[in-house]
């Protein structure tokens, strides 16, 4: 961003958030100490880099709150050296099997015969040629094999953590192999500052208590599954949990999985919270929670938003846990330091969790803080305009399960597949269809809010407009118009006239109402037609991925549009889901006084570049503060609206975890650098030239209802395209332009 833009952002944000800064001091944390919860980075920033690598530890320190605690799972080699590695078995997260093939053995681990390549069969020197790889296969492999295994001492000398946490997972196993974890820790403590030591084994604490002196580390007892047996007492962890006074005799805190506090039912929805945190605090025990990852399914209640999950543990109004163990410490840091104590952190569904363009989705978008809601206008066969995310009802409703499925037709002007199009049914037939939620990432077995997947009703454009007009919080509406040429020539339907008539009938008089009206289209001819007949603002949507735009094209756009919508990859270019660079498109459009909105933002981590750490808030921040865009289009307005309110944006100097990610930061570190990019055509005025809209042609006779055309294709299974419920940070954007 240009320096002048940065300065303007700061002024605007200070105005927006000045009223929130005092809330922090008046809302004390409900932790045992009253201090903010700890951010504990499991193996460093293990969500991106290999667990316990120098890069993971370094990134955790760079992007987290001051005092972030670095977590090391301590394993012992056969010569007694302590290494930071996430598992007893090296083959789970290292290249050991490539360096030392055929070295698998079986050992009893907690009484269970376990096969693998164990640390105890290698000296520290043996491991000097072994490198780290990702332990979770769904994460990027681009950093595999780049970083060596670190010793406990390496972490302290190379990274110099402010706080260091050593986790001892299998003390009993090492004891059986004539290795002493206690001896290692006592010896290491002479040169290494150890702040926390945790273990799931009671006897470990019994053996080590008192051996560190008066200023030793804090001991934390780790609970595993409630039905798992603690190996040294042969009691289940669930039974130990019922006697916290016993735990207090050897530990100052407990580390528990998330489900101990906020359990889930078998459908992945939250159950009422337990009293564990309050009970532990009454017993004088701190409560730390494990299992926080951004790139894995979380409760549907959180709408794929990891910040919401953190807030439910640290700022729910009833309790605060004392620390969170995370693979993505940047998200934990921003949740605790930027988004806590804002007054609206109760768990709630986002509008991306309802079928798109329904009354329920719109109502919740407004409640969630959307500035602008949008309606993609479709036409019924009897000329009634209504809102639907797709002209093909297969994509937005359960029509495939109705007798209307027989009306599938092939319309090559719209799609190469068969479909049941809105203009094939009357509004009376459409209005009773059951809507279907959008599941754009079902291929990854990621599904949105199953209990509400068919909730809500489709609504008329006039109902949409009245809903917006009666809202006290919305600043505007956006009406999207597509397929106008086909509808005029082949169906005898004038969507432009239908939109203008609805606006007039509902009291929107050419932009004179409080609620701003924006008309969007990918067709310049449509926007030209609206300009001729009205004074509404027009928005040109660029469908193509572009990396540049000619000055002449910009001048042509200005003739018929007041703003431009582009895709995310037209702002940041990608290689293998890593950002390579920022284009000049936003800068050039804004230089010509054209606001730029970017789409489509979704909370699911698979929709985001790796640079955004599987965190939708980081992504939003990078496009708003980093690229300087005027607003975003999102399916999850609650996440975006909360971003606008976050406390850190009012600070004179942004903390690192709220700073935008510089483009190209991580692609430079990849094992395989991106190839030279092929030239991508510049968007020019030739891409804009379209003939004027044709006159409305009377519709030719059609087959009787319920009879498919000869070109009809078999109905497709009911699927959903992207939900187009939109939010633009228009308040934010308009202030930036002042």
């Amino acid at each position: 961003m240009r320096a002048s833009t940065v300065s303007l952002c700061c002024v605007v944000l200070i105005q927006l958030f000045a009223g929130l800064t005092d809330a922090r001091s008046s809302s004390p944390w409900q932790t045992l100490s009253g201090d903010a919860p700890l951010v504990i980075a499991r193996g460093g920033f293990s969500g991106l880099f290999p667990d316990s690598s120098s890069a993971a530890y370094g990134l955790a320190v760079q992007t987290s709150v001051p005092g972030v605690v670095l977590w090391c799972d301590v394993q012992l080699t056969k010569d007694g050296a302590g290494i930071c590695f996430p598992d007893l078995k090296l083959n789970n997260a290292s290249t050991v099997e490539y360096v030392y093939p055929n070295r698998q053995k079986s050992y009893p681990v907690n009484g269970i015969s376990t096969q693998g390549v164990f640390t105890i069969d290698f000296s520290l020197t043996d491991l000097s040629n072994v490198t780290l790889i990702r332990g979770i296969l769904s994460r990027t492999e681009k950093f595999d094999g780049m970083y060596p295994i670190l010793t406990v001492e390496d972490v302290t000398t190379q990274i110099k953590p402010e706080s260091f946490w050593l986790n001892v997972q299998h003390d009993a196993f090492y004891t059986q192999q004539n290795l002493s974890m206690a001896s290692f820790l006592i010896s290491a403590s002479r040169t290494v500052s150890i702040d926390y030591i945790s273990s799931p084994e009671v006897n470990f604490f019994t053996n080590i208590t008192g051996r560190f002196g008066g200023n030793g580390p804090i001991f934390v007892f780790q609970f595993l599954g409630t039905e798992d047996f603690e190996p040294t007492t042969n009691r289940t962890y669930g039974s130990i949990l019922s006697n916290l006074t016993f735990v207090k005799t050897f530990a100052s805190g407990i580390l528990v999985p998330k489900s101990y506090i906020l359990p889930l039912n078998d459908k992945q929805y939250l159950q009422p919270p337990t009293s564990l945190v309050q009970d532990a605090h009454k017993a004088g025990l701190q409560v730390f929670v494990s299992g926080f990852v951004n790139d894995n399914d979380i409760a549907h209640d959180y709408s794929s938003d990891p910040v919401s999950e953190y807030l439910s543990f640290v700022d729910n109004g009833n309790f605060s846990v004392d620390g969170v163990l995370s693979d993505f410490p940047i998200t934990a840091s921003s949740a605790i330091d930027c988004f806590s104590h804002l007054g609206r952190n109760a768990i709630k569904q986002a509008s991306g969790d309802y079928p798109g363009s329904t009354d329920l989705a719109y109502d919740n978008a407004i409640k969630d803080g959307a500035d602008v809601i949008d309606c993609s206008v479709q036409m019924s066969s009897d000329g009634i305009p209504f809102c639907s995310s797709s002209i093909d009802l297969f994509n937005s409703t359960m029509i495939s399960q109705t007798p209307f499925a027989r009306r599938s037709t092939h319309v090559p002007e719209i799609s190469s597949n068969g479909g049941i199009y809105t203009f094939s049914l009357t509004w009376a037939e459409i209005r009773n269809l059951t809507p279907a939620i959008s599941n754009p990432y079902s291929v990854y077995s990621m599904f949105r809010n199953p209990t509400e997947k068919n909730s809500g009703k489709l609504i008329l454009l006039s109902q949409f407009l009245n809903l917006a007009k009666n809202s006290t919080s919305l600043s505007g509406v956006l009406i999207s118009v597509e397929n106008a040429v086909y509808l005029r020539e082949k169906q005898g339907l004038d969507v432009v006239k239908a939109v203008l008539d609805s606006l007039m009938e509902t009291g929107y008089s050419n932009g004179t109402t409080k609620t701003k009206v924006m008309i969007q289209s990918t067709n310049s001819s449509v926007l030209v037609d609206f300009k001729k007949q009205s004074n509404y603002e027009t928005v040109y949507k660029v469908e193509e991925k572009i990396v540049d735009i000619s000055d002449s094209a910009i001048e042509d756009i200005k003739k018929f549009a007041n703003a431009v919508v582009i895709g995310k990859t037209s702002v940041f270019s990608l290689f293998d889901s890593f950002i390579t660079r920022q284009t000049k498109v936003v800068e050039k459009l804004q230089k010509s006084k054209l606001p730029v909105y970017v789409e489509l933002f979704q909370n699911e981590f698979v929709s985001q570049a790796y640079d955004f750490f599987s965190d939708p808030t980081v992504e939003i921040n990078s496009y708003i503060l980093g690229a300087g865009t005027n607003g975003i289009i999102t399916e999850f307005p609650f996440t975006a609206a909360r971003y606008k309110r976050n406390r850190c944006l009012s600070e004179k100097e942004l903390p690192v975890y709220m700073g935008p990610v510089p483009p190209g930061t991580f692609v430079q570190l990849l094992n395989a650098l991106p190839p030279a990019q092929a030239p991508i055509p510049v968007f020019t005025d030739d891409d804009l030239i379209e003939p004027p809209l044709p006159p409305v042609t009377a519709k030719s006779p059609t087959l009787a209802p319920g009879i498919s055309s000869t070109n009809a294709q078999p109905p497709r299974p009911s699927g959903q395209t992207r939900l187009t419920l939109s939010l633009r940070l228009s308040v934010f954007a308009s202030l930036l332009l002042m």
Side-chain angles (χ1 to χ4, degrees):
M1 290 177 65
R2 298 183 297 278
S4 60
T5 306
V6 173
S7 176
L8 183 56
C9 284
C10 290
V11 172
V12 169
L13 294 169
I14 288 172
Q15 292 173 345
L16 281 171
F17 301 106
L20 298 175
T21 54
D22 292 337
R24 187 177 187 179
S25 59
S26 63
S27 301
W29 294 102
Q30 295 175 284
T31 55
L32 184 63
S33 66
D35 297 329
L38 291 177
V39 175
I40 309 159
R42 192 187 70 84
F45 207 124
S46 53
L48 182 64
F49 291 108
D51 191 306
S52 305
S53 64
S54 57
Y57 284 127
L59 184 63
V61 172
Q62 293 169 18
T63 60
S64 304
V65 290
V68 61
V69 183
L70 298 190
W71 167 285
C72 163
D73 285 296
V74 185
Q75 314 298 340
L76 296 180
T77 62
K78 70 178 181 181
D79 48 350
I83 59 173
C84 292
F85 194 81
D87 195 82
L88 275 174
K89 298 184 292 183
L90 289 164
N91 47 306
N92 285 352
S94 81
T95 59
V96 69
E97 290 188 297
Y98 296 98
V99 180
Y100 298 104
N102 304 318
R103 294 288 295 270
Q104 287 209 12
K105 288 187 178 181
S106 291
Y107 287 99
V109 179
N110 295 338
I112 300 173
S113 179
T114 305
Q115 188 174 35
V117 182
F118 288 79
T119 62
I120 59 171
D121 292 321
F122 299 87
S123 68
L124 186 60
T125 301
D126 293 335
L127 297 179
S128 60
N129 293 325
V130 176
T131 52
L132 298 167
I133 63 174
R134 71 198 190 286
I136 298 176
L137 294 179
S138 60
R139 294 175 176 171
T140 180
E141 79 286 359
K142 297 299 182 180
F143 303 116
D144 286 358
M146 297 176 63
Y147 304 102
I149 294 173
L150 300 177
T151 64
V152 171
E153 291 81 2
D154 288 336
V155 176
T156 58
T157 56
Q158 295 180 24
I159 310 300
K160 298 179 175 61
E162 188 172 332
S163 296
F164 201 21
W165 185 311
L166 301 185
N167 182 53
V168 179
Q169 191 76 14
H170 294 288
D171 176 64
F173 170 80
Y174 288 113
T175 300
Q176 292 169 2
Q177 307 304 319
N178 297 318
L179 291 168
S180 174
M181 184 66 75
S183 296
F184 165 76
L185 293 173
I186 298 299
S187 175
S189 67
R190 300 187 182 103
T191 56
V192 173
S193 178
I194 305 172
D195 300 282
Y196 299 86
I197 294 178
S198 60
S199 177
E201 299 180 6
V202 173
N203 281 2
F204 166 77
F205 292 106
T206 303
N207 295 333
I208 206 168
T209 297
R211 299 182 63 179
F212 284 95
N215 296 318
I218 295 172
F219 291 158
V220 179
F221 181 63
Q222 181 183 13
F223 283 82
L224 304 182
T226 55
E227 301 301 319
D228 293 336
F229 281 87
E230 193 280 322
T232 59
T233 63
N234 204 33
R235 295 172 58 191
T236 65
Y237 288 99
S239 67
I240 296 175
L241 186 68
S242 64
N243 190 359
L244 292 176
T245 55
F246 165 67
V247 177
K248 180 62 177 173
T249 62
F250 59 84
S252 300
I254 58 175
L255 174 65
V256 299
K258 294 183 297 185
S259 60
Y260 273 54
I261 298 170
L262 291 176
L264 301 179
N265 64 20
D266 57 0
K267 294 182 179 179
Q268 291 297 105
Y269 285 94
L270 290 172
Q271 300 290 89
T274 69
S275 61
L276 173 60
V277 178
Q278 294 94 327
D279 295 342
H281 284 172
K282 288 179 183 178
L285 290 166
Q286 290 183 296
V287 181
F288 305 99
V289 188
S290 63
F292 289 95
V293 295
N294 294 359
D295 57 350
N296 200 358
D297 288 340
I298 58 177
H300 291 299
D301 308 73
Y302 301 125
S303 304
S304 299
D305 182 347
V307 169
S308 291
E309 182 179 38
Y310 285 107
L311 291 173
S312 71
F313 283 87
V314 303
D315 185 29
N316 58 39
N318 296 313
F319 61 81
S320 299
V321 301
D322 300 276
V324 291
L325 178 61
S326 174
D327 290 17
F328 294 85
I330 188 173
T331 303
S333 297
S334 66
I336 291 170
D337 199 46
C338 302
F339 293 100
S340 60
H341 305 152
L342 295 182
R344 288 185 61 200
N345 286 333
I347 299 169
K348 64 179 297 169
Q349 299 289 345
S351 296
D353 280 328
Y354 300 96
S357 302
T358 61
D359 56 346
L360 185 59
Y362 287 130
D363 285 340
N364 280 275
I366 295 170
K367 292 175 184 176
D368 286 351
D371 294 316
V372 176
I373 56 175
D374 79 334
C375 169
S376 294
V377 178
Q378 312 300 341
M379 298 291 288
S380 64
S381 63
D382 49 347
I384 306 298
F386 66 98
C387 302
S388 178
S389 59
S390 175
I391 194 172
D392 183 356
L393 293 167
F394 269 131
N395 296 328
S396 57
T397 72
M398 302 301 293
I399 196 169
S400 64
Q401 299 180 16
T402 73
F404 298 127
R406 293 176 295 171
R407 298 193 191 180
S408 176
T409 60
H410 180 215
V411 181
E413 295 94 333
I414 297 177
S415 173
S416 59
N417 296 316
I420 303 179
Y421 296 101
T422 62
F423 49 77
S424 299
L425 283 77
T426 66
W427 171 244
E429 294 170 325
I430 293 170
R431 66 187 301 175
N432 293 319
L433 292 176
T434 301
I437 201 167
S438 173
N439 281 308
Y441 302 107
S442 57
V443 67
Y444 299 102
S445 296
M446 300 178 69
F447 298 95
R448 294 176 175 176
N449 199 15
T451 62
E452 302 287 352
K453 65 181 180 180
N454 298 124
S455 298
K457 295 181 179 180
L458 296 176
I459 63 174
L460 296 169
L461 173 60
S462 58
Q463 293 174 311
F464 166 84
L465 292 170
N466 282 323
L467 174 68
K469 187 173 65 173
N470 294 329
S471 168
T472 58
S473 61
L474 288 178
S475 62
V477 295
L478 181 127
I479 300 171
S480 181
V481 176
E482 301 295 342
N483 303 301
V485 172
Y486 173 81
L487 291 172
R488 284 191 174 197
E489 289 186 332
K490 300 297 178 64
Q491 298 298 326
L493 299 171
D494 190 345
V495 63
V496 173
K497 182 179 184 301
V499 169
L500 291 173
D501 287 348
S502 293
L503 286 164
M504 183 64 67
E505 292 165 4
T506 52
Y508 291 79
S509 302
N510 279 338
T512 60
T513 59
K514 175 181 68 70
T515 306
K516 182 168 67 173
V517 176
M518 295 178 284
I519 310 293
Q520 174 184 286
S521 183
T522 59
N523 301 116
S524 60
S525 58
V526 169
L527 300 182
V528 168
D529 210 37
F530 273 105
K531 280 289 187 184
K532 288 179 180 178
Q533 301 185 60
S534 70
N535 295 322
Y536 301 119
E537 290 192 19
T538 50
V539 180
Y540 181 61
K541 179 178 175 179
V542 180
E543 286 186 297
E544 299 89 342
K545 173 187 175 182
I546 61 176
V547 296
D548 201 356
I549 185 169
S550 69
D551 293 337
S552 59
I554 294 175
E555 290 305 311
D556 282 342
I557 291 174
K558 291 175 65 176
K559 294 175 183 177
F560 60 82
N562 304 101
V564 178
V565 171
I566 59 177
K568 292 192 296 186
T569 54
S570 293
V571 180
F572 295 121
S573 297
L574 299 180
F575 166 74
D576 276 2
S577 294
F578 283 95
I579 293 174
T580 57
R581 59 170 175 157
Q582 181 177 335
T583 73
K584 299 288 187 181
V585 176
V586 173
E587 179 183 349
K588 293 179 73 171
L589 288 168
Q590 290 178 338
K591 187 177 180 181
S592 296
K593 309 300 182 184
L594 282 170
V596 182
Y597 304 109
V598 183
E599 69 172 16
L600 180 67
F601 287 73
Q602 300 163 311
N603 282 3
E604 290 93 347
F605 70 91
V606 292
S607 70
Q608 302 149 13
Y610 285 120
D611 304 65
F612 302 135
F613 312 126
S614 302
D615 184 339
T617 298
V618 174
E619 181 181 43
I620 291 170
N621 192 49
S622 293
Y623 279 89
I624 295 295
L625 288 188
T629 60
N630 298 91
I632 66 165
I633 303 171
T634 178
E635 294 179 343
F636 294 88
F638 180 73
T639 299
R642 186 188 57 209
Y643 165 77
K644 290 196 303 177
R645 299 184 298 115
N646 94 72
R647 197 172 50 243
C648 291
L649 291 178
S650 66
E651 298 181 6
K652 293 182 179 179
E653 184 175 347
L654 286 174
V656 290
Y657 36 88
M658 194 45 63
V661 180
T665 297
F666 298 105
V667 75
Q668 302 174 40
L669 304 176
L670 300 185
N671 264 333
L673 293 176
Q677 295 184 344
I680 299 177
V682 175
F683 191 82
T684 68
D685 45 357
D686 290 337
D687 298 302
L688 296 168
I689 297 173
E690 294 176 0
L693 287 181
V696 177
T697 303
K699 185 177 181 181
S700 59
T702 59
L703 297 172
I707 300 177
S708 301
S709 73
T710 54
N711 290 327
Q713 296 188 5
R716 290 176 282 120
S718 179
Q720 297 83 38
T721 56
R722 287 176 170 176
L723 173 68
T724 58
L725 213 163
S726 302
L727 172 145
R728 281 157 188 67
L729 303 180
S730 53
V731 174
F732 183 86
S734 62
L735 286 169
L736 282 178
L737 294 172
M738 288 175 60

